[in-house]
Amino acid sequence: MTEKKYPHHKVTGPDGAEFVVTPMEDYYCQERPQVQKSSNAVIEKFYNWARANSLWIVGFGTGCGAIEMRPLRTPRFDAYRYGVNWRATPRQSNLFIISGYLSVKTLKRVIRVYEQMQSPKYVLGLGSCTINGGMYWDSYNTIKRLDHYIPVDAYIPGCMPRPEALLDGFEELKKIIIAGEANGANLYAENFDWYKANQKKIIKNWDMPDYSW
Amino acid sequence: MKTLLTNLKKRHDITASKLQRNNELFVTVPNNQAVSLVTYLRDHEGFSHLVILSAVDWLEEEVFQLTYLLNNPELKQDIGVRTLVDRNEPVMESIHHLWEHSATYQRELFEMFGISFPTSPRMEEPFILEGWDGPPPYRRDFDTLKYAEETYFPRPGRTTNDVAAYMKEKLYPEDDND
Amino acid sequence: MNFDPMKIPWSLLGLVIVFTIGMFIRGIVPKITARAGMRIGIRFYQPWIDLIKHFSIQTSITHGVMFYLGPVFRLTGGVSMILFMPLIYGSWYFSNFAFAGDMVLFLYMMFFGTLGMALGAGESGHPYSAIGVSRGLAQVTVAEIPLVLALLSVAAQHNTLSITEIVAAQQGGISHWTMVTNPVATMAGMLALLGSMMNSPFNVVLAPQEIPVGPPTEYHGTFLGIMNTNRSIFPVAKVVFFMNIFFGGATNWGILILKSFIIYMWPVFVGLVFPRFRVDQSIRWFLKVPMLLGILAVALI
């Protein structure tokens, strides 16, 4: 199968001038992510407390485990009382739950969504599949270790974990964030080449920018 | 269903048939008669719905077995038309002119088994496996475990327990004679 | 309108108080809706945490100048409504910069934020933003019709366009309130209020299930923080405006908080009971009963 490329196309401007558009260069920013360092430790601590108590999850169910997130909004579990909320856009979310197995096709979308989130951003691996492949250990199309492709802050083991386990995972993540150890976005920026090499090893038809701003 | 079978036997070379249930029949026909039989069933016997088009890889016999599962919604009957395709040269006639959605099944079969359906629309576009460059993964001579371990960074330290032995050891450790 | 520079700090203080009221109402309202849904509900200070978090998150994406100005316009709409609103009747400190024709200004300011959002969200280039904004504009515009009719009726009744004078005419007990003296206009106005408060029957603009998030799809970090700040100020400003026009205004902060809270609850409870309208349904609805009430109110004066 051939690599799909965005074609160069000609656009006629309102004044009649014609110019060539190369989507990869003209529509996308080519810059690499930068490491974000806070100047003031006290403010950073305060901010971390706010971030930990207001986890907004990007509404992207990547695998079967997404079904375990739905009950969290129901009266029985009611995750919103812990400040856990779901947003439909990656721009406004700061937590990405990789819910279960991740096929290569989904991984491509996951990377794009993860890169569109604004740092600081956190990733929870839900289920055994994100740790070592789980029951898809010999699958030809499912990744085994999530932390080779995007930085992961915490894992919730199980197949599938119950919603209670998910709530416990949120609490653990809160502790990690408040302790200031959840700097996955900076890890990603520091080891950008390593992550990209791993991603490109799996995704054979890489037809997107290296970093989706 | 039996009258249908005798009726079909007059027209086509049915090499094997099996009445699975009272309303479910499987027939096997040679490769070149499958599409005409399916067309006949659709146009004259009321099997207007293509439920699924799937394949089985018989590695030892060197054939792929294709199954066209048709449904008659009025009589609530199912018929499966089986046919064999040579594994070394897997080409089959397309049926996308009978049911449009069969083109999607044929895309999938091309991707997973490498069975080619000439003239089927969008057949060579990737269906699930974007950018796949290995052999078709559902063929039985494709070693998925080896491929996965070479490709997907396996985490060291993973072990597999025999379920029966593990349960016995955990739950009844003292009970040795069984 | 005589301008007194000494009023500036007092007006800002009034703004801060209104903002605080708005933040607490935004904490309490989800709690009430959660209890209605048999849930425990959020901590009442959750909006504060969310706001701090928005400002703590990196803001790195831009889509051009209007993208910046969208939230700023929105906040300007809310803040300027408060700055020109006589919050407390009879108080020099909190009468702000009210002037003779301020009612017309409010009608404009109610629309201003939405227009700014339309420009900003349109520039973000996201299709959901465009859909959300066009729905929002359609709905706000049509909700404005009964509101304008009701306000015309009240203005004709009191023969003035100044909010301070309308409040002054309503002093001296419930029997002088517009609610009693002009009930038809009050009904039309309160139905119009439903359309602009983003509660259930009319919240298809932001409906997360139908178009993810709506106009602010591309907004993040500080932009979202600014918009959330406005979401605390703007509804309270609207509610205080309605209180001044229809419910006799307030002579102290206690009355203001009580009345604005009660008026705020009206769309909330309606929203708890009624399911969401599609935007074409809500337009038809506003053009039926509320508009007829508005016309009736104008005709009866």
Side-chain angles (χ1 to χ4, degrees):
Chain A
M1 285 159 211
T2 53
E3 190 177 329
K4 192 181 157 197
K5 286 228 166 82
Y6 286 107
H8 300 199
H9 52 263
K10 271 189 183 160
V11 179
T12 313
D15 51 351
E18 278 198 354
F19 42 93
V20 180
V21 174
T22 10
M24 271 306 181
E25 287 160 22
D26 293 355
Y27 292 168
Y28 298 106
C29 178
Q30 296 286 332
E31 233 173 284
R32 292 159 61 102
Q34 300 297 323
V35 177
Q36 305 279 326
K37 283 271 179 280
S38 173
S39 50
N40 192 318
V42 178
I43 291 179
E44 189 64 16
K45 250 189 166 161
F46 177 59
Y47 276 172
N48 274 337
W49 169 81
R51 289 163 187 157
N53 281 292
S54 167
L55 294 170
W56 286 14
I57 304 168
V58 51
F60 179 14
T62 58
C64 51
I67 205 77
E68 302 292 331
M69 299 204 283
R70 306 300 177 253
L72 287 176
R73 301 202 75 169
T74 59
R76 182 159 176 187
F77 298 105
D78 188 25
Y80 197 20
R81 69 196 144 120
Y82 302 115
V84 176
N85 199 0
W86 276 261
R87 298 301 283 185
T89 159
R91 295 280 191 227
Q92 300 172 5
S93 333
N94 58 351
L95 173 60
F96 197 173
I97 295 186
I98 305 294
S99 46
Y101 67 86
L102 207 53
S103 69
V104 175
K105 191 175 178 177
T106 321
L107 176 69
K108 203 167 155 184
R109 278 79 183 167
V110 163
I111 291 166
R112 290 207 69 170
V113 170
Y114 178 73
E115 289 175 352
Q116 284 182 45
M117 289 162 66
Q118 299 299 303
S119 62
K121 46 195 172 186
Y122 317 110
V123 176
L124 262 184
L126 175 65
S128 306
C129 302
T130 54
I131 302 173
N132 60 10
M135 64 183 284
Y136 297 96
W137 58 289
D138 62 348
S139 165
Y140 57 91
N141 198 25
T142 311
I143 65 157
K144 286 184 192 298
R145 296 184 65 174
L146 181 61
D147 52 4
H148 270 64
Y149 309 101
I150 50 176
V152 183
D153 292 297
Y155 287 107
I156 303 171
C159 185
M160 286 310 294
R162 295 260 315 151
E164 291 94 330
L166 205 50
L167 285 179
D168 188 53
F170 291 142
E171 291 302 312
E172 281 303 313
L173 183 65
K174 266 183 203 178
K175 282 179 206 157
I176 296 173
I177 296 172
I178 290 177
E181 287 158 7
N183 42 10
N186 287 346
L187 260 178
Y188 193 70
E190 275 166 18
N191 308 315
F192 190 63
D193 293 324
W194 184 74
Y195 282 115
K196 277 296 148 189
N198 287 345
Q199 290 165 4
K200 285 187 178 171
K201 186 183 172 218
I202 304 294
I203 301 169
K204 306 269 170 49
N205 62 339
W206 186 275
D207 55 356
M208 52 190 192
D210 268 2
Y211 191 84
S212 314
W213 281 95
Chain B
M1 287 248 90
K2 280 187 181 151
T3 52
L4 177 70
L5 183 58
T6 49
N7 193 4
L8 290 181
K9 273 183 178 164
K10 283 180 207 155
R11 297 169 171 273
H12 294 88
D13 304 332
I14 308 257
T15 51
S17 66
K18 188 181 182 198
L19 194 62
Q20 196 87 8
R21 289 197 303 266
N22 277 337
N23 58 354
E24 195 174 57
L25 175 71
F26 281 93
V27 294
T28 310
V29 289
N31 193 343
N32 52 1
Q33 291 188 16
V35 174
S36 68
L37 174 59
V38 166
T39 315
Y40 171 76
L41 286 169
R42 185 188 82 141
D43 291 343
H44 299 284
E45 299 290 346
F47 287 91
S48 57
H49 173 47
L50 174 71
V51 180
I52 200 171
L53 167 56
S54 76
V56 181
D57 182 6
W58 297 104
L59 181 64
E60 291 76 14
E61 283 96 54
E62 300 230 322
V63 286
F64 289 120
Q65 174 195 304
L66 285 178
T67 305
Y68 300 84
L69 191 62
L70 311 181
N71 175 265
N72 185 338
E74 278 169 20
L75 300 176
K76 302 210 185 333
Q77 288 175 340
D78 289 307
I79 187 163
V81 177
R82 287 174 174 154
T83 186
L84 301 175
V85 184
D86 185 13
R87 202 170 179 282
N88 297 317
E89 197 194 338
V91 181
M92 183 63 200
E93 244 178 290
S94 168
I95 56 160
H96 71 271
H97 56 284
L98 300 177
W99 289 280
E100 261 180 50
H101 66 272
S102 67
T104 309
Y105 288 124
Q106 290 169 5
R107 252 173 95 190
E108 189 181 12
L109 289 179
F110 178 71
E111 187 169 270
M112 292 303 187
F113 289 95
I115 306 172
S116 169
F117 297 85
T119 74
S120 179
R122 300 172 65 201
M123 189 189 67
E124 307 225 338
E125 278 178 37
F127 180 57
I128 300 170
L129 310 170
E130 285 180 350
W132 181 263
D133 56 358
Y138 275 14
R139 292 198 176 191
R140 276 175 56 212
D141 50 3
F142 172 71
D143 190 346
T144 61
L145 179 59
K146 185 161 157 280
Y147 182 85
E149 282 183 347
E150 281 171 2
T151 317
Y152 296 120
F153 310 105
R155 188 183 288 273
R158 187 192 160 101
T159 55
T160 309
N161 295 313
D162 178 50
V163 178
Y166 187 76
M167 291 288 280
K168 196 178 155 207
E169 185 197 329
K170 283 281 164 191
L171 294 175
Y172 313 104
E174 69 281 348
D175 188 10
D176 284 334
N177 15 303
D178 183 17
Chain C
M1 176 180 167
N2 45 350
F3 179 72
D4 187 351
M6 272 314 288
K7 271 195 172 180
I8 293 176
W10 288 107
S11 297
L12 292 179
L13 178 65
L15 184 68
V16 170
I17 295 174
V18 164
F19 172 66
T20 316
I21 296 172
M23 288 303 267
F24 277 111
I25 288 183
R26 282 185 58 207
I28 291 165
V29 166
K31 192 97 184 161
I32 291 172
T33 49
R35 284 294 159 91
M38 310 282 275
R39 286 185 286 124
I40 293 173
I42 61 170
R43 297 163 287 198
F44 73 93
Y45 52 90
Q46 186 70 42
W48 295 96
I49 302 178
D50 285 346
L51 194 65
I52 296 165
K53 186 204 71 172
H54 288 320
F55 285 110
S56 78
I57 279 185
Q58 186 198 10
T59 310
S60 61
I61 315 294
T62 175
H63 294 275
V65 178
M66 268 328 288
F67 186 74
Y68 282 110
L69 289 182
V72 176
F73 275 22
R74 197 131 176 83
L75 186 62
T76 311
V79 169
S80 49
M81 266 180 90
I82 289 296
L83 288 186
F84 289 101
M85 176 94 65
L87 289 173
I88 307 290
Y89 171 71
S91 155
W92 178 82
Y93 300 110
F94 296 112
S95 64
N96 293 350
F97 299 105
F99 61 98
D102 46 6
M103 199 149 101
V104 181
L105 183 82
F106 285 124
L107 281 177
Y108 173 66
M109 280 303 171
M110 273 190 197
F111 220 83
F112 187 73
T114 319
L115 281 176
M117 265 317 287
L119 292 169
E123 182 148 320
S124 78
H126 201 283
Y128 290 144
S129 297
I131 297 173
V133 155
S134 58
R135 288 177 174 184
L137 276 177
Q139 191 167 292
V140 171
T141 313
V142 80
E144 203 96 321
I145 295 173
L147 179 64
V148 171
L149 289 171
L151 291 184
L152 278 179
S153 167
V154 175
Q157 176 194 3
H158 297 297
N159 208 10
T160 176
L161 278 172
S162 160
I163 292 178
T164 317
E165 287 179 30
I166 291 176
V167 177
Q170 296 179 59
Q171 295 306 308
I174 289 185
S175 57
H176 292 109
W177 290 5
T178 316
M179 187 178 85
V180 180
T181 55
N182 195 349
V184 187
T186 310
M187 276 193 276
M190 291 310 277
L191 291 179
L193 178 68
L194 295 179
S196 57
M197 292 293 278
M198 291 298 151
N199 268 310
S200 179
F202 307 104
N203 64 350
V204 76
V205 180
L206 291 169
Q209 293 89 350
E210 303 190 20
I211 34 164
V213 182
T217 305
E218 277 285 299
Y219 284 104
H220 58 276
T222 314
F223 298 131
L224 199 62
I226 292 174
M227 275 161 41
N228 261 342
T229 312
N230 178 61
R231 216 170 280 172
S232 308
I233 296 176
F234 190 54
V236 180
K238 262 187 288 193
V239 161
V240 171
F241 176 63
F242 271 76
M243 177 193 78
N244 280 338
I245 298 289
F246 298 116
F247 300 101
T251 47
N252 58 51
W253 280 106
I255 298 287
L256 182 128
I257 291 171
L258 185 71
K259 280 186 180 174
S260 60
F261 188 77
I262 291 171
I263 301 172
Y264 200 104
M265 283 302 125
W266 152 247
V268 171
F269 285 127
V270 171
L272 281 177
V273 177
F274 290 100
R276 180 182 299 140
F277 274 159
R278 286 203 313 267
V279 83
D280 55 329
Q281 290 170 329
S282 67
I283 286 176
R284 284 201 193 99
W285 187 82
F286 275 117
L287 291 181
K288 281 175 194 161
V289 180
M291 196 178 78
L292 288 179
L293 280 175
I295 294 172
L296 195 65
V298 175
L300 285 180
I301 290 302

